[in-house]
Amino acid sequence: MTFRFSVNNPYSITNTGQTHLYDFKQFMKSSSPTGPGWTVSKSGDGLAAFSSTGDIITSSGSGAGGLGNTNAWFVLQEPNGQREFLWQRGASSGSWVILYSYSARFTGGAAATRPSATDAVVVLGSTSNPATAAASSHFSTSFNSIFHFGANDADGYSFFYGGYAQSYITSNNNATACMFFDELQSGTYNDGYETDPRIIYIAGGNSSNNYNVASVSSNTTSTDVSRVVGFLYKGTIYESFGTISGLGYVVNHGNASAAGTGTGYACVPGFVGMDLFTKKDIVLPIFYARRGTDNVGAGGFKGVGKYLKYKATSRPYGTTISVVSHNDYIIMGDLAFPFSGGEAQF
Amino acid sequence: MTYRFNVNNVITGSGISGNDGDIVVYNFKTFMKSASPSGPGWTVTRSGDGLAAFSSTGDVITSSGTGANGIGNTNSWFVLQSPNGSRQILWQRGTANSSWVILYSKGSLFTGGTASSRATATDAAVVLGSTTDPSTAAGSTHFSTTTKIVHYGADDTDGYSFYYAGYHQTTLATSAGGLYFDEVIPLDTNIDNDYYIFFVNAGNSTNEWTTQGLGAENSLANTFRVAAWLYAGTPFQTFGITPGAQWRSNGTNNVVIPGSISQNLYTLRDIAFPIFYCHRNGPVFTNTFDTVGFKGVGMYMMQKGNSLATASTMSINFLRDYIVIGDCVLPFNGSVPST
């Protein structure tokens, strides 16, 4: 595998969201080595243009062929042709629906009506019903931002978009969109049983918990807030799609109750420091699991994420760290994202 | 690696003036000295019976009782050396059978000693004892005096990890005491030259063999805790508390692992998870150490994923190859555990 990147993309407050996602779409469509080589399999501009076979979204603006029209949408299909994601713009540039089809793929649709898939599930939207899901806040519309795109051009086709406020306005950094579609590390899930070893971290534009362990580890049942989602026990009678918590590493500090549920203190992310052998930063894997009592579906262990990591030591947004190679990760919130090796801009 | 076992030992509780702790340790020593496949083949390099017998080259402890050559005498002691000769661990009895000092040498090895004065090592660290000074540490509670079921296990190759662990007969309470010396997959495989942790239990708390004990970060050297060298060989090196983290969702609010997820619903089998050891930055106690860092991932002792009672077994690679004690999952030999 090779991660491909488009980093340090600046976005003004004008038309935020639609400009981010237009550039993201273009990046994802680019052939390796520029991008990962996904395909837009169908699209509609929310007005009159529609294609059941390709991409008619040709600009980030409004009007014909624009992603800036209410209900404009596109479907990205991974290079092996199996999985598809659909993004549809809501009534504002910061507001989106995101659906996921594991293998049935999206069919139908019209210029202003998104297609459907028999196995579609809601990644972001105001209901859990893919047919009726309405747009939810995804991108902040209150500040300029810097965004980075990354995607694996082979292997599990992981990808992400994420960023922070321009000019390093600290209070805004964690208030905008993020999506990370990550595969799981081989050997950490049920090889031979698990058919969708993937998780999706989705962060919306209305939460101060974005990019933080609070949202990654959330056990919410809501579909329009920041969280990790995925299938658990896909293909079995226990199958469910919904929140799967990315667990934090916690110690008791000596204050825990006998039942083990007493006050816990975060260890990872952020509190174990650098590697003092090598004087380098480290990143640590994220374990994904769901309790049976979380009311999402059957509980269980999903697996360990492959590319999205927790930071081990406290670092501010936009800090690049060198774990294996120079600047191969960038810190955003509590998370470490793969990075291009370059310098991050603010 | 191959784990060797001696399991289902019923050690009758004999009170504070009795000898059940002596029996646990004596049987452990005997097991550890046994050549593979009966045991892991460690060596007793020096010992003293607390009275008059002393050896600078071998084992003078020949019984679990009192009197000549007994381990049941105050200040009796012995040093076990790993088969590759690189590490030594010293046990010394305190004034009661439940009370022990445990010291660890990661390379210098123990020298000297007399019949009733334990040997010393320049790099000795206190695993269990009432002070952190290896030269003065006095015995601390290590075993309960209630009738207990005790299991011994040890890897005869690889990293030579071992344990003695148990629970009270009938009640299955985990406050019986015990020790796990576990190998870890270190943060830096080629740099960390002491990739081990000790999980020591004191025989007097319901937190033993639980996530509370694993995760405790304000424990003294005379109570239950995980202890290890962090950044051994560097200017930052310290030996002290290195908690084993649990896994929580909803920030730090909801414990997920250990014990709060279901069985693997694909296979309908129990699951266990590795333990990540780290010392976090945060409130620093006068009785803890300041260096923070990530030690590594435990190799053999794990945390249970789903809720299982003490003395339950898991079948991960073969039938009953792990036993549950508290929240911990330890290698086991396929037997049905005594209760």
Side-chain angles (χ1 to χ4, degrees):
Chain A
M1 76 87 195
T2 304
F3 247 80
R4 306 300 178 182
F5 296 97
S6 172
V7 302
N8 295 324
N9 299 286
Y11 294 99
S12 73
I13 198 169
T14 304
N15 294 331
T16 186
Q18 64 204 46
T19 51
H20 294 75
L21 284 178
Y22 180 78
D23 287 352
F24 169 70
K25 174 175 73 68
Q26 297 303 101
F27 165 71
M28 293 294 283
K29 287 171 62 179
S30 300
S31 300
S32 181
T34 304
W38 287 49
T39 303
V40 172
S41 60
K42 48 183 55 74
S43 55
D45 70 355
L47 300 175
F50 165 68
S51 173
S52 63
T53 57
D55 189 5
I56 52 84
I57 305 293
T58 56
S59 82
S60 62
S62 57
L67 190 58
N69 304 309
T70 298
N71 292 325
W73 59 271
F74 64 89
V75 173
L76 274 171
Q77 182 182 87
E78 67 181 357
N80 67 2
Q82 179 184 326
R83 296 175 175 83
E84 290 187 337
F85 285 94
L86 179 149
W87 282 260
Q88 184 176 35
R89 186 187 187 276
S92 71
S93 63
S95 183
W96 295 81
V97 170
I98 303 174
L99 305 180
Y100 172 55
S101 169
Y102 163 70
S103 64
R105 296 188 287 275
F106 290 94
T107 60
T113 304
R114 66 178 179 242
S116 60
T118 55
D119 64 352
V121 288
V122 176
V123 176
L124 181 69
S126 64
T127 80
S128 59
N129 183 343
T132 61
S136 293
S137 179
H138 192 29
F139 291 87
S140 172
T141 57
S142 60
F143 56 83
N144 301 332
S145 61
I146 298 288
F147 257 65
H148 310 296
F149 308 131
N152 188 354
D153 66 4
D155 205 7
Y157 302 116
S158 298
F159 69 79
F160 74 85
Y161 53 84
Y164 40 80
Q166 276 188 38
S167 304
Y168 209 76
I169 303 169
T170 304
S171 60
N172 287 339
N173 276 336
N174 58 354
T176 193
C178 176
M179 180 172 173
F180 203 122
F181 174 63
D182 201 5
E183 66 176 303
L184 304 180
Q185 292 183 38
S186 178
T188 67
Y189 55 88
N190 291 275
D191 289 302
Y193 297 94
E194 173 68 79
T195 56
D196 195 35
R198 305 286 189 279
I199 61 89
I200 304 162
Y201 174 57
I202 188 76
N206 58 356
S207 171
S208 60
N209 284 332
N210 293 348
Y211 296 93
N212 290 345
V213 65
S215 61
V216 177
S217 68
S218 171
N219 59 353
T220 181
T221 57
S222 299
T223 59
D224 62 347
V225 298
S226 304
R227 62 194 179 131
V228 173
V229 294
F231 278 106
L232 204 56
Y233 298 120
K234 183 164 182 55
T236 75
I237 58 173
Y238 307 107
E239 174 180 323
S240 62
F241 182 88
T243 303
I244 300 174
S245 307
L247 307 178
Y249 303 34
V250 175
V251 295
N252 292 312
H253 194 54
N255 295 326
S257 70
T261 56
T263 302
Y265 293 84
C267 202
V268 176
F271 291 94
V272 298
M274 297 175 67
D275 178 351
L276 296 181
F277 284 123
T278 62
K279 312 294 195 300
K280 295 171 74 172
D281 277 81
I282 58 173
V283 294
L284 289 163
I286 303 176
F287 282 50
Y288 297 97
R290 179 196 299 159
R291 298 183 308 166
T293 54
D294 286 338
N295 297 317
V296 176
F301 181 66
K302 177 69 175 174
V304 180
K306 190 167 187 178
Y307 296 109
L308 181 64
K309 308 279 190 179
Y310 278 135
K311 68 181 181 184
T313 194
S314 179
R315 299 288 183 215
Y317 274 82
T319 302
T320 50
I321 61 175
S322 304
V323 176
V324 176
S325 59
H326 183 68
N327 289 352
D328 55 352
Y329 280 90
I330 184 169
I331 302 300
M332 291 191 271
D334 287 331
L335 299 170
F337 294 68
F339 202 60
S340 63
E343 301 297 328
Q345 295 185 2
F346 300 93
Chain B
M1 75 92 192
T2 303
Y3 248 77
R4 306 300 178 182
F5 297 97
N6 180 346
V7 304
N8 290 331
N9 298 279
V10 180
I11 311 293
T12 302
S14 56
I16 196 69
S17 60
N19 68 342
D20 51 310
D22 301 333
I23 295 172
V24 173
V25 174
Y26 181 77
N27 288 353
F28 167 70
K29 175 174 71 70
T30 302
F31 166 70
M32 292 295 282
K33 287 172 62 179
S34 300
S36 182
S38 297
W42 288 48
T43 304
V44 172
T45 58
R46 58 188 63 230
S47 56
D49 71 355
L51 300 175
F54 165 69
S55 172
S56 62
T57 58
D59 190 2
V60 297
I61 307 292
T62 57
S63 85
S64 61
T66 57
N69 304 109
I71 202 167
N73 305 310
T74 297
N75 292 326
S76 69
W77 61 274
F78 64 89
V79 173
L80 274 170
Q81 177 174 286
S82 61
N84 64 2
S86 65
R87 290 174 174 77
Q88 292 183 339
I89 303 170
L90 179 150
W91 281 259
Q92 184 175 35
R93 187 187 191 274
T95 55
N97 75 90
S98 58
S99 180
W100 295 81
V101 170
I102 302 175
L103 305 180
Y104 174 52
S105 170
K106 63 181 170 62
S108 296
L109 310 183
F110 289 94
T111 60
T114 66
S116 59
S117 297
R118 64 175 179 250
T120 59
T122 55
D123 64 352
V126 176
V127 176
L128 179 70
S130 65
T131 79
T132 55
D133 180 351
S135 66
T136 60
S140 293
T141 304
H142 191 30
F143 301 105
S144 70
T145 55
T146 302
T147 297
K148 54 187 93 50
I149 309 294
V150 177
H151 311 296
Y152 304 113
D155 186 355
D156 66 3
T157 52
D158 201 11
Y160 303 114
S161 60
F162 67 79
Y163 72 82
Y164 49 92
Y167 40 84
H168 291 165
Q169 191 177 46
T170 305
T171 67
L172 307 184
T174 59
S175 51
L179 177 72
Y180 207 124
F181 174 66
D182 200 7
E183 188 177 1
V184 302
I185 302 168
L187 174 60
D188 296 290
T189 305
N190 298 318
I191 303 176
D192 190 339
N193 62 12
D194 195 65
Y195 40 91
Y196 296 93
I197 62 91
F198 290 87
F199 182 32
V200 64
N201 291 277
N204 57 7
S205 170
T206 56
N207 285 336
E208 292 172 20
W209 297 106
T210 68
T211 187
Q212 286 76 34
L214 282 170
E217 61 176 0
N218 62 347
S219 290
L220 298 168
N222 62 349
T223 63
F224 56 88
R225 61 174 185 158
V226 174
W229 282 105
L230 203 57
Y231 298 117
T234 76
F236 311 105
Q237 80 166 18
T238 47
F239 184 88
I241 298 169
T242 311
Q246 56 180 217
W247 308 84
R248 295 195 182 197
S249 66
N250 191 16
T252 58
N253 292 314
N254 303 126
V255 175
V256 179
I257 298 167
S260 292
I261 61 172
S262 63
Q263 283 186 311
N264 181 340
L265 295 181
Y266 284 119
T267 61
L268 299 181
R269 298 174 80 169
D270 300 314
I271 49 179
F273 291 89
I275 302 172
F276 283 50
Y277 297 97
C278 46
H279 186 87
R280 74 182 179 104
N281 190 10
V284 177
F285 296 85
T286 56
N287 54 13
T288 62
F289 62 106
D290 294 347
T291 299
V292 301
F294 181 72
K295 176 65 180 175
V297 182
M299 193 169 282
Y300 295 108
M301 182 171 66
M302 297 189 285
Q303 297 183 81
K304 64 186 181 185
N306 46 304
S307 181
L308 288 168
T310 292
S312 301
T313 55
M314 291 187 177
S315 302
I316 294 177
N317 297 306
F318 59 86
L319 183 67
R320 294 188 288 267
D321 57 349
Y322 284 88
I323 185 171
V324 175
I325 300 180
D327 291 323
C328 298
V329 178
L330 283 60
F332 206 59
N333 71 342
S335 301
V336 175
S338 297
T339 56

